[in-house]
Amino acid sequence: MPLPPAAYQAPPKPGVIPLRPLGLGEILDGAFQACRRNPLATFGIAILLQAVVALVTVLLFGNLLSSFEVFDSPNPSTDSLIGAFASLGVFASVAGVVTAVALLVLQGILVIPIARAVINQKTGFGQAWRLARGRILPLLGFGLLSFGLGTVGLALLVGISALAIAGLQEYSALLIIPLAIGAVVLMIWVSMKLVVAPAVLMLEGTGPWTSIRRSWSLTRGNWWRTFGIVLLTSIIVSVIASVISTPLTFAVSLFLGFSTDASTAPDALDSLPVIAATQAITALFTAIGYAFQAGVTSLLYVDLRIRREGFDVVLMREHERAGTVPSDILPGGTGAFGHQPGGPA
């Protein structure tokens, strides 16, 4: 007599996601739920870092506007013009560095509350900083290593282009254009291969180079899926942020523009209130979007480890070990199953 089929048992879901390979909807919903359950540790940190970026941008832009007043004079001197363009270069460089560092630190720190939400552990604002404190320098090291590799690639591209112009002259475009397109494609491909490296570094305690190798290994065979999820998340965040922030920014600019008397505001610095207000609005919605994107990236890391290493067993064990008592446990650092922290990739 045949035995009756075993009843289906849903996979355990101690936190924001079920402990099994995830679908797109589950990753997006899990990231949102993790941010909602830990608002100070996710949105709070994101807003804080974006506020720093916005403040630096406003201060630098005020200095830039003062420098550009030279163009209002009928006969600007050469030194004044050089100074204005030098100010523009300083503005672009400093703002770019501050933004890049803030985004890298944000992505790294937000891995902690998102990953802890997987095993139903809540994370406070101070707790997130405390748990991430020892990994900030390695995270910045990863950023410097990535920047160095990118700089070497750019130097090779510029060098080959210069040689092509010198050797092929008017036909150099036949080589430079495909080369530039190939460089962009390569940059996107490498970016997706390294997309979970910050999560590896923060949770597994590895160094920058080992984190790169681990990310490279985890995304093997899942490049297109990873690319699709990251691209879709970026589009969703950009559209929602634009739809909400653009009307608010326009309204604030219009209000402040009408409230400023042109006869009493001949200086370009008087536009700083408009700049500050629009930067504040942009920073707020950008921070919320970055927090959600960091959540998606963190859950991508969890999903890839579940698919390749049976990470769901580790997460279930860590959930049982943590219990219902608040703790400082970090999912992913255990060597009981799957990847051995600090070991070979």
Side-chain angles (χ1 to χ4, degrees), residues 290-302:
Y290 282 150
F292 178 70
Q293 285 181 298
V296 169
T297 304
S298 303
L299 293 183
L300 262 176
Y301 161 78
V302 172

Side-chain angles (χ1 to χ4, degrees), residues 167-178:
L168 300 176
Q169 296 180 358
E170 66 268 19
Y171 299 105
S172 60
L174 298 176
L175 176 63
I176 294 175
I177 293 177

